[in-house]
Amino acid sequence: MTVLARRVSADPERCKVTESLLRHPVAQAKACHQFFRPPRASRNGRRFPVIEATKRPRRQQLKTAQTRYILPEVCPLHGRFAEAVRRLNARLSQVRRPELSPTMLNILVATYMLVAFNAAFWRHLSTLFEGAPMNVVLFGAAVWMLTFFTLSPFSWPRVQRPVAAILILLAAAASWYQGHLGIMIDKLMIQNVMNTTYAESRQLITLPYLRYMGLTGVLPAALLFWPRITYPKFRHILWKLPLTAVASFAVTFGFLFVNLKANASVIREHHELMGSYQPGATIGAIARYAKMEIRASNTEVAPLGQDAAKGEDLLAAKKPVLLVIFAGETARAQNFALNGYARNTTPQLAGLDLLNFSETSSCGTSTAVSLPCMFSALGRSDYSHRAFMGQENLLDVLDHAGVQPVWIDNNTGDQRIARRTGARQVDVTLDPAACADGECSDAALLGALAQQIGAIKEDTVLVLHMIGSHGPAYYRRYPEAFARFTPDCRTAEFDYCTPEEIVNAYDNTIAYTDHILAKAISMLNAQDHALPALMYISDHGESLGEGGLYLHAAPMFMAPEAQTRVPFLMWLPESYREAMHLDGACLKDMTDQPVSQDNLFHTVLGLLDIRTEVRQPELDLASRCRIARPAT
């Protein structure tokens, strides 16, 4: 038996079953808290509360009654609470959830995302078609249809709204960072996100970001679940969905075909246009990143430099050789005083006998690309993530030659460079003061260096991966005592800082790197356990607001010099040069020529006198300056 009850009715006969099921006080309380829920819609469009009772055991009937819409007239509510509930019930009964078709919901979502999250896209489009408003309209209409086409295949019950909500959240997050940092979302940016540590990601989640996400992302995504969606029958969905998808794709191409020559040229030559389109750019970036990782994971590693062996100079060394490679982070050459910067950001290094290669270019604009690239034999022109994963690298070649490679990390990890030779995080117990704030400053690496010096018994290459100048929280990269340039930006939210404060904070990170490197050189110079040498090279540079860009990871086709010109230093004391028969004056003359991170792989092998066919003399900066050994 089913009892259909309207709010205006309190017929005892019609509510007899309900009353009999609600005699228990607990059941009454639970049921009475349910009656103000909005009524459910029937399949024929009628709206009324339903109370069901069937010929089932009493416990099941009670459960049925407790989960249905109960009339106020049958609930023994009294006092102010009852009156408040009745008023709320009256208001809710007047508010009817709108009804939408799946197509109309897709239209609304596509329109909202294109308007709310694509300011950068519209700005690029208006610039590219300046003076041709009709082209802007047609191209914009094509992109709108592309967004609609993206939503169409998911227009299934219980699928459409969750997918639309996820796309809104993705587009909101991407548009925030595009608008505030000027970045572009591509597969390398997704790779950076996946490699980011919790500490780094926490610095990017600020109060303005959360406020923006709440208002433009979370709230609209939640509102998707308010209207009722009237889906057609399953057999109609099977032909309507493919037809809608094909039609929307055809209309997209139709809008582009009106001015196909100009549109094709813009898409082909100006990648920043579609790279700023949300959510399309983010969806494409995630898909390409997933494809890249799948292909790389299935790649077999090819051996490299298995013929590597120690040369005569290295074999003749009276002490173990210790080459320390500081892999810098986010340091740009323009802000090094050694390279002519107006501020004295490198006062301690300026007093040392260094080789400064001032015109050094990076392999990429992110750690995930530049770091593996510089330790590989591929070079920028041949580098890809799959190619790197499919070939051994510098650390493997050193291991083949009998030189111990050691990787100690104070950053996001070794980027799989040391996956065969081993890597470890910096030991926080070596310098607790440097790790007091939950993150270690690069001072912690000095403790690791001291430990390695004391334990060295064989030829070693020690790679120290620095946190360096990693932003946006530059102020966390140096102690307050090293805040030489003030006022400095003391937050990760650049909107709260002036351009001068941002630059001051960044310059303080360079000055602190200067201190760390000078201290490391002092430690190496003072010890007598090994024959020391040191190299420093940053992975990539950094944008500090020039052209509206901040941070790094811009695609190489549009990356400014601030992100691709990096510092590259060598410290080769006289004892090392004599042991390895290197001409110091010749090396000094080499510093004026343009070099790149492609030189690192071959130069390390050359400085250590490692003999192998994979070392290319033309890329080895030391090969031209090696003095012939005297005949014995």
Side-chain angles (χ1 to χ4, degrees):
M1 176 177 66
T2 301
V3 180
L4 306 181
R6 296 185 182 278
R7 178 178 173 80
V8 297
S9 173
D11 186 356
E13 292 297 325
R14 300 181 70 180
C15 298
K16 183 186 301 182
V17 176
T18 303
E19 291 177 350
S20 67
L21 295 177
L22 298 177
R23 290 173 182 171
H24 194 279
V26 176
Q28 291 178 358
K30 291 183 177 180
C32 292
H33 279 75
Q34 296 290 325
F35 80 85
F36 58 84
R37 292 169 56 189
R40 301 175 63 181
S42 64
R43 296 186 65 87
N44 59 8
R46 297 178 60 191
R47 292 183 178 81
F48 44 79
V50 178
I51 302 174
E52 293 182 352
T54 59
K55 294 181 179 180
R56 293 180 291 176
R58 176 182 176 85
R59 182 174 298 176
Q60 294 186 17
Q61 293 178 357
L62 179 60
K63 182 178 180 181
T64 302
Q66 289 175 0
T67 58
R68 294 302 181 184
Y69 183 85
I70 309 302
L71 293 177
E73 289 81 356
V74 301
C75 289
L77 295 177
H78 302 284
R80 288 180 295 179
F81 175 73
E83 183 60 28
V85 172
R86 289 190 180 96
R87 287 199 300 268
L88 179 61
N89 181 67
R91 293 181 181 178
L92 291 177
S93 64
Q94 297 173 3
V95 178
R96 293 188 175 182
R97 295 167 61 190
E99 291 187 4
L100 297 175
S101 66
T103 301
M104 180 55 66
L105 181 63
N106 288 340
I107 290 173
L108 294 176
V109 172
T111 303
Y112 173 71
M113 288 195 293
L114 206 60
V115 171
F117 304 133
N118 284 277
F121 168 79
W122 292 112
R123 184 169 59 251
H124 288 310
L125 185 62
S126 300
T127 302
L128 293 173
F129 288 117
E130 187 175 3
M134 186 54 64
N135 288 346
V136 173
V137 172
L138 291 173
F139 198 97
V143 172
W144 183 91
M145 287 302 306
L146 180 62
T147 311
F148 181 82
F149 167 76
T150 303
L151 294 165
S152 295
F154 303 100
S155 300
W156 295 83
R158 299 188 180 184
V159 174
Q160 182 180 21
R161 287 188 280 197
V163 169
I166 291 172
L167 292 182
I168 287 176
L169 293 174
L170 284 176
S175 68
W176 167 265
Y177 291 115
Q178 278 187 334
H180 284 72
L181 302 177
I183 64 174
M184 182 179 295
I185 309 297
D186 58 6
K187 71 176 180 180
L188 298 181
M189 184 60 70
I190 301 300
Q191 185 179 19
N192 295 331
V193 172
M194 299 303 295
N195 291 331
T196 298
T197 62
Y198 168 74
E200 289 181 340
S201 61
R202 184 179 58 186
Q203 295 163 12
L204 292 170
I205 301 176
T206 60
L207 184 60
Y209 167 79
L210 293 176
R211 184 167 55 244
Y212 177 86
M213 283 296 297
L215 293 176
T216 65
V218 176
L219 180 59
L223 288 176
L224 291 176
F225 297 88
W226 180 42
R228 294 186 178 89
I229 309 300
T230 55
Y231 292 98
K233 294 182 178 180
F234 181 75
R235 64 176 180 270
H236 296 303
I237 293 179
L238 291 178
W239 66 267
K240 281 187 176 182
L241 253 63
L243 181 62
T244 303
V246 171
S248 59
F249 184 79
V251 174
T252 300
F253 185 77
F255 281 126
L256 294 175
F257 191 79
V258 174
N259 192 6
L260 184 60
K261 184 177 181 180
N263 292 334
S265 176
V266 165
I267 294 173
R268 183 175 59 253
E269 299 177 10
H270 298 277
H271 301 285
E272 70 277 8
L273 177 62
M274 296 308 293
S276 60
Y277 156 59
Q278 298 300 336
T282 303
I283 295 172
I286 294 173
R288 287 190 291 272
Y289 169 74
K291 178 181 178 181
M292 178 183 72
E293 286 295 322
I294 292 172
R295 294 177 64 186
S297 64
N298 296 326
T299 301
E300 294 185 5
V301 180
L304 181 71
Q306 290 187 321
D307 64 329
K310 296 180 181 180
E312 294 180 2
D313 291 333
L314 184 56
L315 290 172
K318 298 179 180 180
K319 299 178 182 179
V321 170
L322 174 59
L323 174 59
V324 180
I325 302 177
F326 276 92
E329 170 67 44
T330 319
R332 66 184 202 178
Q334 292 87 336
N335 288 55
F336 267 58
L338 293 176
N339 295 329
Y341 188 49
R343 284 179 164 176
N344 191 12
T345 54
T346 53
Q348 297 184 54
L349 291 177
L352 300 176
D353 183 17
L354 299 175
L355 300 174
N356 176 28
F357 296 87
S358 57
E359 296 294 332
T360 305
S361 59
S362 66
C363 186
T365 60
S366 66
T367 303
V369 174
S370 290
L371 200 64
C373 182
M374 74 169 80
F375 279 88
S376 75
L378 297 167
R380 176 182 168 185
S381 59
D382 297 325
Y383 178 83
S384 69
H385 183 63
R386 185 183 184 186
F388 167 75
M389 294 293 290
Q391 186 183 87
E392 292 183 336
N393 57 63
L394 176 60
L395 300 191
D396 299 295
V397 176
L398 294 172
D399 191 45
H400 296 329
V403 176
Q404 182 187 20
V406 179
W407 187 291
I408 300 178
D409 208 281
N410 189 36
N411 203 313
T412 55
D414 65 304
Q415 306 297 323
R416 305 182 189 178
I417 299 169
R419 66 188 187 276
R420 289 173 295 274
T421 57
R424 66 177 186 267
Q425 287 294 125
V426 64
D427 188 351
V428 299
T429 62
L430 295 176
D431 191 350
C435 305
D437 296 330
E439 289 183 274
C440 293
S441 70
D442 285 328
L445 293 174
L446 297 178
L449 174 59
Q451 186 181 58
Q452 195 67 34
I453 291 174
I456 189 169
K457 295 181 180 179
E458 58 182 318
D459 299 328
T460 303
V461 172
L462 173 62
V463 182
L464 300 175
H465 189 195
M466 307 174 74
I467 192 67
S469 304
H470 198 285
Y474 301 129
Y475 71 99
R476 295 180 64 88
R477 306 296 168 237
Y478 54 89
E480 290 190 25
F482 283 83
R484 302 176 184 175
F485 307 104
T486 56
D488 54 341
C489 183
R490 306 295 298 180
T491 176
E493 181 53 61
F494 288 160
D495 286 348
Y496 294 157
C497 299
T498 65
E500 292 76 16
E501 291 171 339
I502 296 172
V503 173
N504 286 344
Y506 182 81
D507 285 345
N508 286 333
T509 66
I510 301 298
Y512 192 59
T513 296
D514 167 76
H515 166 73
I516 296 298
L517 295 178
K519 182 68 174 177
I521 291 173
S522 176
M523 293 170 61
L524 291 171
N525 207 23
Q527 59 82 39
D528 61 355
H529 296 83
L531 194 62
L534 182 144
M535 301 175 70
Y536 167 78
I537 185 169
S538 181
D539 54 358
H540 53 79
E542 185 85 325
S543 288
L544 299 175
E546 302 91 350
L549 292 178
Y550 289 91
L551 302 185
H552 51 269
M556 286 298 288
F557 72 86
M558 60 173 288
E561 188 181 45
Q563 295 190 28
T564 59
R565 186 179 165 216
V566 296
F568 182 19
L569 308 173
M570 290 187 198
W571 175 70
L572 305 175
E574 184 177 356
S575 58
Y576 189 90
R577 296 196 303 267
E578 289 179 355
M580 295 298 165
H581 292 87
L582 296 172
D583 186 344
C586 173
L587 289 170
K588 279 283 186 183
D589 293 338
M590 298 278 293
T591 58
D592 293 331
Q593 70 180 37
V595 298
S596 72
Q597 290 178 343
D598 293 357
N599 296 100
L600 181 71
F601 177 95
H602 308 278
T603 301
V604 169
L605 296 178
L607 289 175
L608 290 171
D609 191 27
I610 301 294
R611 307 295 174 85
T612 173
E613 292 182 356
V614 299
R615 182 182 67 86
Q616 300 180 28
E618 62 274 14
L619 292 176
D620 175 10
L621 299 176
S623 64
R624 305 176 193 176
C625 300
R626 189 169 296 280
I627 303 171
R629 288 177 58 86
T632 57

